[in-house]
Amino acid sequence: MTPPWRTVVLSPHFDDAALSVAALVRRLPRPLTVVTVFGGPPPEGSPVSWWDTTCGFSSAAEAYACRRAEDARACALLEAEQTLLPNPDGPYGTAGPLRGLDALLTGLTPDTTVLVPLGTNQPDHERVRHQALAALDRPDGARTLVYADLPYTGHLPEWATDGASAALAASQKWGLAYQELTRRHPCAPSPTTCGSTTSSGPPNAPPSSATPPSWPRSPPTTAPSPPAPAPSARNWPGPSTPGPAPARDRLAPRRSGRGAGTRLGGR
């Protein structure tokens, strides 16, 4: 059965969608899901990674449980469904195609909008972008937008200014993913000027990390639906199971650019 989502946000890890596009997500059409691509548990008995040790965790399993619960709380605040793909996080995973991603994306209808991370200087994010855009590159594929993942793209000194697009196009430190994307998918004239920072998202949307250029597809114009019921985690593929949602600090949408929903990689 094709999932009934109108909007799918691909989040490489448990925090990426919340940090990058939280303000925008609240304005996008429902039903909406945040799909954590590296959302699977580490293999049993995995030694804790240096990063998880630095973050204060005593085991890989503890780090996973805490981050999954935090993500469930973030999705609840954003009124989004939590969907988890079975790939372990980078330190615990393996090379090769990301499991579950192609099946999920090819099952979407053309009127679905998919947000894909740019992958600035982050190998896991780059893997998600490459595989997602390949799966969506077909005549009946879902409408595709690419968002600037934070904090990586936000290291650009010109970030959150009108000169961000030109700076990304020139930077050899922070703009390589952007440059690769625009080489592979040259932008064409559309309702927004190629390379501008004009918003092409829903009206009155708050700032987000999405940045240009734009491709010649019409932006979503339907107003958001009323708040959805409390979300539960969906393990993809597999049945829905309730996700833990302990009390956490509320998300503070981050001001990270002028446009809200500006299309960086629309098909």
Side-chain angles (χ1 to χ4, degrees), residues 9-19 33-40 63-85 231-234 243-249 251:
V9 182
L10 296 183
S11 181
H13 305 106
F14 282 123
D15 57 355
D16 292 312
L19 289 174
T33 186
V34 173
V35 178
T36 302
V37 179
F38 291 92
Y64 174 76
C66 182
R67 292 193 176 113
R68 174 173 171 163
E70 184 179 56
D71 184 66
R73 178 59 175 161
C75 287
L77 291 172
L78 295 173
E79 298 166 356
E81 180 179 356
Q82 181 191 40
T83 298
L84 309 179
L85 299 189
S232 61
R234 181 194 297 264
R248 305 287 291 182
D249 293 339
L251 289 175

Side-chain angles (χ1 to χ4, degrees), residues 66-146:
C66 182
R67 292 193 176 113
R68 174 173 171 163
E70 184 179 56
D71 184 66
R73 178 59 175 161
C75 287
L77 291 172
L78 295 173
E79 298 166 356
E81 180 179 356
Q82 181 191 40
T83 298
L84 309 179
L85 299 189
N87 307 286
D89 195 2
Y92 308 107
T94 58
L98 297 167
R99 291 178 293 160
L101 184 57
D102 288 358
L104 185 146
L105 295 176
T106 55
L108 300 175
T109 56
D111 59 348
T112 307
T113 297
V114 181
L115 275 68
V116 178
L118 175 58
T120 298
N121 296 3
Q122 218 294 341
D124 287 348
H125 295 212
E126 188 175 31
R127 285 179 69 190
V128 172
R129 170 168 61 88
H130 284 311
Q131 187 168 329
L133 292 184
L136 292 163
D137 188 17
R138 64 186 201 279
D140 61 344
R143 178 171 176 265
T144 307
L145 312 181
V146 173

Side-chain angles (χ1 to χ4, degrees), residues 17-24 148-151 153-162 164 197 199 204-211 251-260:
L19 289 174
S20 302
V21 289
L24 175 62
D149 31 12
L150 299 179
T153 314
H155 288 300
L156 183 81
E158 295 84 0
W159 187 246
T161 72
D162 290 344
T197 54
S199 170
N204 302 318
S208 79
S209 66
T211 56
L251 289 175
R254 177 180 296 205
R255 183 175 183 84
S256 51
R258 235 180 83 192

